Amino acid sequence: MKIKKLKYLLTVFVIAVFLNGCKDKEDIFIGTDSFINSFSLTQDGTTYNASFYADSIIISVPEGLSLNGASVTYSLSEQASIKPVPDDISNWNNEMLFAVTSYSGEEQTYKYIVKRNSIDAEGTVVLSTQDEVNAFGEQGVTSIKGSLIIGRIAGTDSITSLAALYQLKEVGYNITVNPTYAAKEFTGLDALETVGGEININDVKEIKSVEFQSLKSAGSIYIKNDSISSAEFPRLTQVAGDLRVDCPLNILNLTNLQNVGGQLSLLHSYNRGEITQIALPLLKSAGSIYIVRFKELTKIELPELVTSGDLSFLYMPSFNIVYLPKLIETTGTIKMTSTTDLAEVSLPALERAGGLDIPEFVKVLEVPLLSQVSGDLFLRGLTVENMDFLSSLTSVEGKFTIYNLPNLQTFKVPSALTNVGTLSIYYSRMLPPEEIDVKGLQMDELEIRGAALVDTKIIGDEKFDGVLNINSDGSLPTGATITFPELEGFSTIDSLILGYVKITNLNIKGIKKINKGFYLPSNSITEFYMPDLEEVGGDFLISHLNRSIQEIIEIPKLKTVGGDFNVTILSGETKTLAFPLLESVGGNFSLASGYQTRALTSVKFTSIKNITGKLLVTSGRSSYLNSIMTNLEGFSTLMNISGVEITDQGALVSYEGLKNALSSFSADDWYVSNNAYNPTYEELNSGQWVQP
């Protein structure tokens, strides 16, 4: 009985285990998986298998291949469902989402992505005919590693359309369009985004317009043609080098351009083109900007421009305003030439400029923050009464020119300005300011130029470490006369240069010391005075005084000349040249005493002792003789000299004035010729100083 019971219990246990085991086997599939196990598309007989990354289904196909109408093959987890149903989809070109739902109701989302693989062409591609363009386009090339050359160099070209190249996205080097390209429009490269080198369209005869609808960046762009009136680059943002368009434009689209590494040049060589406005709304920087010869252009919009090199607006007679609200710095010159309608230049943010050249037509100049000009600053014709509009200016490293400012009666240095290379006050056909105050300003040169210097007073420091350059060139205003400016200060100066001087009475008062040179070249002077001059550290030069009416020209206080002494007198009225206190000359002493009766009778250097160089006396006119000066008594105090050359003195019979200096030089350094008396060194040494 116990055995039967045991067997019965054992049988029940086995059946229970079996039944329980059957239940576990059925529970292995509970329907929770929601996977896409495989996925592929077939188009034109080619199957493209998907790769899976996280929750993405990625189909990789060649660039330009359309997946419209492709057939799909896929598999899901057991008893899972998918929406939308792939079999119901015909256009597989775009991204989409799939939702996969498991048997148990759990859902997973997949993103379908098409990855386009480029088709590359190695080296340079030359397309000389329309057939070659079409055949190359059929290859589906999306990237050319080298250059693309379109059209023949010479002869007849058959290319009229580039539409077959619609898949091309990138050219590694240059695109060159040869002059025989036959189409009137340069279009068709609609997908082109990048050109590593230059786009060059030069003198293509038939072309009227150029379009690069998708181009974003290029190494450089050069378009030159007398017939192109439209150039459109709506997505172009970057040009690493130059962007030059030399065409008579009516339409220009550069609305997304932000940076040009080189020169941005928009011009037409013959002042044609009907474009009235040029807008570069996003341009922030350029190596330089040249906009030139658009006769109808009235406005240029550069609202975001911050930095540039040269910035030139030239030869545009209808151009009327410059407003650059964000421009902070130019490393080159801001220049506006032959812009006859330009009345206002507003640069409210400009702090530093390589140079600034404002034409005479401008009436308003706004540069409130301008502090530094590393080159030249040229102001013409402004109707300002003072320099307060330059209140922030601290330095001009080049030349600061004030030219014909009609309302400026007094020029006073802008309050913050401390350093200038050259300050030029230049007035032509009108009177200059009555007072020019440069006190406290450090400069290399102060240049005063003009037709008339009438009652002008120049105020400076006692010690002026620069060149004072007075030049009275040009035509006179009606009724004007010329006088030398009154100087206040200027006791010691670096150099004094008197350019072409129409002044008749030249009376230079106050200057005692010239550290370097004094230069008086061609002139119309009738009377010449320098009553206070005591020392010249460099050369002393008077080119000629052929209109002098003075019998005696005298520099009464001059004691030393550190360099060459060179004076030419060619006047019929002036007979005596006197430097009574001059003791030494550090270089050569050259005197052109005149010719025939336009000559000196005597010279009076009654304190001269030392001439480091030679004593050179000529007539100043080749083959003409001084026919009235008979002796050199004016050099009788001379003790030391390195040599003598005396020529063309037709009346000179006595050399006794050189007696005390004869022993300071040798016979080899004695030369006389074409004088009334031409003794040898030995004759002088033996006492024959006067013609026997």
Side-chain angles (χ1 to χ4, degrees):
M1 193 65 182
K2 290 182 179 180
I3 293 175
K4 285 183 178 182
K5 188 175 181 179
L6 182 60
K7 286 182 178 181
Y8 171 78
L9 292 174
L10 182 60
T11 300
V12 171
F13 175 78
V14 171
I15 292 172
V17 171
F18 176 79
L19 292 174
N20 190 61
C22 289
K23 183 177 180 181
D24 289 343
K25 184 176 182 181
E26 184 181 273
D27 285 346
I28 290 175
F29 177 73
I30 59 176
T32 60
D33 293 339
S34 54
F35 301 117
I36 297 176
N37 297 322
S38 64
F39 191 95
S40 63
L41 296 176
T42 301
Q43 180 74 313
D44 298 331
T46 302
T47 298
Y48 302 96
N49 295 314
S51 59
F52 293 87
Y53 180 78
D55 57 354
S56 296
I57 310 166
I58 303 172
I59 289 284
S60 297
V61 297
E63 187 77 43
L65 177 68
S66 174
L67 292 175
N68 193 19
S71 61
V72 63
T73 302
Y74 65 96
S75 67
L76 307 174
S77 297
E78 187 176 355
Q79 296 191 40
S81 62
I82 185 171
K83 289 183 180 180
V85 178
D87 296 312
D88 296 337
I89 297 171
S90 60
N91 186 356
W92 292 96
N93 290 310
N94 302 318
E95 293 183 1
M96 64 185 81
L97 297 176
F98 289 104
V100 179
T101 305
S102 69
Y103 178 76
S104 64
E106 297 183 18
E107 186 176 287
Q108 181 171 350
T109 300
Y110 286 85
K111 185 176 183 180
Y112 166 80
I113 299 172
V114 180
K115 180 181 178 182
R116 301 285 181 175
N117 297 322
S118 64
I119 301 175
D120 297 339
E122 301 294 335
T124 294
V125 174
V126 181
L127 304 177
S128 300
T129 67
Q130 187 64 56
D131 289 342
E132 291 179 356
V133 171
N134 294 340
F136 184 75
E138 289 176 359
Q139 298 177 33
V141 172
T142 59
S143 175
I144 296 174
K145 298 302 183 184
S147 296
L148 173 62
I149 299 174
I150 298 171
R152 302 178 191 274
I153 296 176
T156 302
D157 204 317
S158 63
I159 299 177
T160 58
S161 174
L162 300 176
L165 306 182
Y166 71 94
Q167 299 178 71
L168 185 62
K169 284 191 170 184
E170 179 182 5
V171 175
Y173 289 94
N174 301 330
I175 294 179
T176 301
V177 183
N178 281 320
T180 57
Y181 176 79
K184 292 186 182 297
E185 297 180 347
F186 188 83
T187 59
L189 297 177
D190 295 341
L192 185 66
E193 295 180 355
T194 304
V195 177
E198 180 179 75
I199 298 173
N200 190 317
I201 304 174
N202 188 359
D203 291 331
V204 181
K205 297 178 182 178
E206 299 295 328
I207 197 168
K208 305 295 183 186
S209 65
V210 173
E211 293 184 19
F212 286 87
Q213 292 295 331
S214 299
L215 187 67
K216 296 178 181 178
S217 65
S220 59
I221 298 172
Y222 179 46
I223 301 174
K224 185 180 186 302
N225 195 288
D226 287 340
S227 61
I228 293 176
S229 61
S230 175
E232 298 197 53
F233 302 83
R235 296 186 181 178
L236 184 65
T237 60
Q238 308 285 338
V239 178
D242 296 340
L243 194 168
R244 296 181 292 164
V245 180
D246 185 353
C247 305
L249 294 174
N250 295 334
I251 298 173
L252 176 67
N253 188 344
L254 289 167
T255 52
N256 278 294
L257 186 63
Q258 297 178 21
N259 298 289
V260 177
Q263 180 185 118
L264 170 59
S265 177
L266 306 174
L267 63 96
H268 189 259
S269 302
Y270 301 104
N271 204 28
R272 290 163 49 195
E274 302 301 323
I275 195 167
T276 60
Q277 294 190 12
I278 290 176
L280 302 169
L282 299 182
L283 185 66
K284 292 180 173 62
S285 67
S288 59
I289 298 175
Y290 292 89
I291 301 179
V292 184
R293 289 194 177 95
F294 291 104
K295 63 180 182 179
E296 302 296 331
L297 188 70
T298 61
K299 188 176 183 181
I300 297 171
E301 295 182 15
L302 292 162
E304 297 296 324
L305 186 66
V306 175
T307 62
S308 178
D310 286 335
L311 183 58
S312 300
F313 306 133
L314 311 176
Y315 306 107
M316 296 184 293
S318 301
F319 189 44
N320 55 46
I321 187 169
V322 172
Y323 178 51
L324 304 174
K326 294 186 179 180
L327 182 65
I328 294 175
E329 179 178 16
T330 68
T331 55
T333 298
I334 302 172
K335 188 172 185 179
M336 303 153 200
T337 300
S338 295
T339 50
T340 52
D341 277 1
L342 183 60
E344 180 178 347
V345 176
S346 180
L347 308 169
L350 185 67
E351 297 176 5
R352 297 171 298 279
L356 188 59
D357 190 344
I358 302 300
E360 58 187 318
F361 312 105
V362 173
K363 303 306 178 188
V364 177
L365 173 63
E366 183 184 12
V367 284
L369 301 183
L370 180 63
S371 62
Q372 298 176 10
V373 178
S374 58
D376 297 337
L377 174 57
F378 204 146
L379 304 179
R380 301 177 178 89
L382 295 175
T383 56
V384 297
E385 296 182 356
N386 53 57
M387 293 287 109
D388 291 349
F389 67 98
L390 296 174
S391 59
S392 297
L393 187 65
T394 61
S395 66
V396 179
E397 295 180 22
K399 192 172 187 177
F400 181 10
T401 300
I402 303 296
Y403 179 78
N404 282 2
L405 306 191
N407 296 338
L408 189 68
Q409 297 302 310
T410 298
F411 173 85
K412 187 172 178 59
V413 176
S415 57
L417 185 62
T418 57
N419 293 283
V420 169
T422 295
L423 175 62
S424 177
I425 312 293
Y426 185 13
Y427 277 66
S428 178
R429 297 183 182 274
M430 65 172 62
L431 298 179
E434 296 176 1
E435 186 172 286
I436 299 171
D437 186 349
V438 297
K439 200 167 185 179
L441 181 62
Q442 295 297 311
M443 69 188 96
D444 297 328
E445 181 176 352
L446 172 61
E447 178 187 55
I448 310 296
R449 295 183 62 187
L453 300 171
V454 181
D455 298 326
T456 299
K457 183 178 183 179
I458 306 175
I459 303 171
D461 296 312
E462 289 291 316
K463 186 175 185 297
F464 175 66
D465 295 324
V467 177
L468 180 59
N469 185 343
I470 309 293
N471 190 329
S472 60
D473 60 349
S475 301
L476 294 175
T478 302
T481 59
I482 302 176
T483 59
F484 190 78
E486 177 188 352
L487 300 180
E488 182 179 306
F490 297 103
S491 176
T492 299
I493 66 175
D494 192 66
S495 295
L496 178 60
I497 299 175
L498 303 176
Y500 182 75
V501 180
K502 288 186 176 180
I503 297 171
T504 53
N505 187 325
L506 182 60
N507 192 346
I508 305 174
K509 297 179 181 179
I511 296 177
K512 294 181 179 180
K513 181 179 180 181
I514 300 174
N515 289 324
K516 293 181 181 177
F518 169 75
Y519 304 95
L520 175 58
S522 299
N523 60 77
S524 301
I525 294 169
T526 58
E527 297 181 63
F528 175 55
Y529 305 96
M530 291 190 74
D532 302 308
L533 184 64
E534 298 175 0
E535 179 181 347
V536 176
D539 297 337
F540 182 96
L541 168 67
I542 298 176
S543 179
H544 64 76
L545 291 173
N546 61 347
R547 298 186 184 183
S548 172
I549 61 172
Q550 295 170 267
E551 182 179 352
I552 299 174
I553 293 177
E554 182 178 21
I555 310 295
K557 296 182 180 180
L558 182 62
K559 294 181 180 180
T560 62
V561 172
D564 292 337
F565 179 94
N566 191 327
V567 176
T568 300
I569 305 294
L570 304 176
S571 168
E573 302 293 331
T574 300
K575 299 306 175 185
T576 300
L577 180 67
F579 285 71
L581 297 184
L582 183 62
E583 297 177 353
S584 64
V585 172
N588 292 323
F589 186 113
S590 299
L591 173 64
S593 65
Y595 62 95
Q596 297 177 348
T597 58
R598 298 180 63 84
L600 296 173
T601 300
S602 63
V603 293
K604 295 183 178 180
F605 292 86
T606 52
S607 298
I608 191 82
K609 294 182 175 60
N610 299 296
I611 297 174
T612 303
K614 291 184 176 183
L615 172 64
L616 309 167
V617 181
T618 67
S619 70
R621 181 67 64 89
S622 178
S623 301
Y624 287 82
L625 306 180
N626 179 329
S627 60
I628 54 177
M629 189 166 70
T630 61
N631 64 72
L632 299 174
E633 293 301 316
F635 296 104
S636 60
T637 59
L638 185 61
M639 303 296 292
N640 297 293
I641 193 171
S642 65
V644 175
E645 293 183 15
I646 301 175
T647 61
D648 298 328
Q649 304 300 305
L652 183 62
V653 295
S654 173
Y655 292 85
E656 284 188 297
L658 302 180
K659 185 180 294 186
N660 292 325
L662 183 65
S663 62
S664 66
F665 61 92
S666 68
D668 292 337
D669 294 310
W670 172 261
Y671 177 80
V672 289
S673 172
N674 208 24
N675 306 309
Y677 177 42
N678 297 292
T680 64
Y681 184 85
E682 288 74 17
E683 288 173 329
L684 295 180
N685 207 27
S686 65
Q688 298 181 38
W689 293 98
V690 181
Q691 185 179 32

